[in-house]
Amino acid sequence: MISSDIMRGYNDIILLSLLLNQASYGYELSRQIRERTEGLYSIKETTLYSAFERLLRNGYIVSFFGEESFGKRRTYYRITPEGRAYYFEKCEEWELTKTVISQFVINQRGK
Amino acid sequence: MISSDIMRGYNDIILLSLLLNQASYGYELSRQIRERTEGLYSIKETTLYSAFERLLRNGYIVSFFGEESFGKRRTYYRITPEGRAYYFEKCEEWELTKTVISQFVINQRGK
DNA sequence: TAAATTTACTACGTTAGGCGGAGTAGTAAT
DNA sequence: ATTACTACTCCGCCTAACGTAGTAAATTTA
């Protein structure tokens, strides 16, 4: 498992990336993260929902209620154009971060 | 400049990596970081010294006073065997983190 | 049919790392 | 005498993440 101090700062990008193609809701997104990383990272519920709050506050996502006739009513999230822009910005920052950190990290298994 | 939320979690590793080969002190380490990253990242003084505190507390470094006859007396830091072990652990975690985050990031400039 | 589990959140309070701002202490250059 | 550079130190704030607990509705299991 990857420590959360390392993931801090990436949760927003991860969520936005999953919302790029379709709107979704908390539980589903959390499951997708666990699956895509093959269990290496699973976001905590509180972390997840506080990330939604932050993204909403910044206008990177909007929320709406689902209309399912069964189960508890879900809150869905949709990415906004601002959210997309922010996501692509952060992707570039990630490329930069990789080169910066690699300067200080020894890769034991060779290049 | 890379945001500090992204660098959070890496400051300790960066400092330890610079201490691998020889003991050093705050100002010098801060300068080395700025130089090695070509200005892309420069650690704040408060962040730097609180990182030292943390590393000392965890036994990853030890401190001693320099014996310079001029200028303000410097506090030097030396990495411990535990610090080395921790550093190499974190390097492996970094390799993992790279693959995990890359799952969610679109690289605009191709592979 | 009652109890347990799963889905889908919400609320509350704490911790840790990073940061801004200010201050201290010494030397060196103008 | 003032400014600048080196080398810290102190204080208090902010934010992301977390632990714990609780709510609510449906679905599964006993």
Side-chain angles (χ1 to χ4, degrees):
Chain A
M1 258 294 288
I2 293 177
S3 78
S4 28
D5 255 344
I6 293 286
M7 292 310 283
R8 189 187 172 112
Y10 295 113
N11 284 324
D12 291 15
I13 315 176
I14 287 175
L15 292 173
L16 289 177
S17 90
L18 293 172
L19 292 174
L20 279 181
N21 296 316
Q22 79 270 1
S24 188
Y25 58 97
Y27 231 69
E28 170 67 14
L29 291 167
S30 144
R31 207 154 38 76
Q32 279 179 27
I33 291 171
R34 224 177 13 258
E35 277 172 23
R36 276 236 226 165
T37 63
E38 286 157 4
L40 285 175
Y41 181 54
S42 72
I43 195 169
K44 299 287 176 318
E45 282 177 63
T46 41
T47 304
L48 179 69
Y49 290 104
S50 73
F52 285 143
E53 282 309 303
R54 190 168 48 248
L55 291 167
L56 283 168
R57 215 167 43 235
N58 292 326
Y60 298 148
I61 57 173
V62 287
S63 68
F64 58 97
F65 286 115
E67 280 155 41
E68 42 278 321
S69 44
F70 57 91
K72 202 187 174 184
R73 196 164 62 158
R74 294 170 184 156
T75 308
Y76 280 81
Y77 301 96
R78 194 194 321 280
I79 194 167
T80 63
E82 292 75 28
R84 268 168 211 282
Y86 178 74
Y87 170 73
F88 289 113
E89 241 175 69
K90 283 286 159 180
C91 287
E92 284 190 44
E93 192 177 330
W94 165 245
E95 294 302 319
L96 213 61
T97 305
K98 264 202 292 191
T99 67
V100 166
I101 308 232
S102 298
Q103 299 264 340
F104 302 98
V105 163
I106 288 164
N107 185 342
Q108 275 101 340
R109 285 184 297 282
K111 189 49 174 314
Chain B
M1 259 293 287
I2 294 178
S3 79
S4 29
D5 255 345
I6 293 285
M7 292 310 284
R8 189 184 174 115
Y10 295 112
N11 284 323
D12 292 14
I13 315 176
I14 288 175
L15 292 173
L16 290 177
S17 91
L18 293 171
L19 292 174
L20 279 181
N21 296 315
Q22 80 269 2
S24 189
Y25 57 98
Y27 230 71
E28 170 67 13
L29 290 167
S30 145
R31 208 155 36 76
Q32 279 179 26
I33 291 171
R34 222 176 16 255
E35 278 172 24
R36 276 236 226 164
T37 64
E38 284 157 7
L40 286 175
Y41 181 54
S42 71
I43 195 167
K44 299 290 175 317
E45 281 177 63
T46 40
T47 303
L48 179 69
Y49 291 103
S50 73
F52 286 143
E53 282 309 302
R54 190 169 47 248
L55 291 167
L56 283 168
R57 217 167 40 236
N58 292 325
Y60 298 148
I61 57 173
V62 287
S63 69
F64 58 98
F65 286 114
E67 281 154 42
E68 43 277 322
S69 45
F70 57 91
K72 202 187 175 184
R73 196 168 58 158
R74 294 171 184 153
T75 308
Y76 281 81
Y77 302 96
R78 194 194 321 282
I79 193 168
T80 62
E82 292 75 28
R84 269 169 210 281
Y86 178 75
Y87 170 73
F88 288 113
E89 239 175 69
K90 283 285 159 179
C91 287
E92 285 192 43
E93 192 178 332
W94 165 244
E95 295 302 320
L96 212 61
T97 305
K98 265 202 292 190
T99 66
V100 166
I101 308 232
S102 297
Q103 299 264 340
F104 302 98
V105 163
I106 288 165
N107 185 342
Q108 274 101 339
R109 286 184 299 282
K111 203 359 177 353

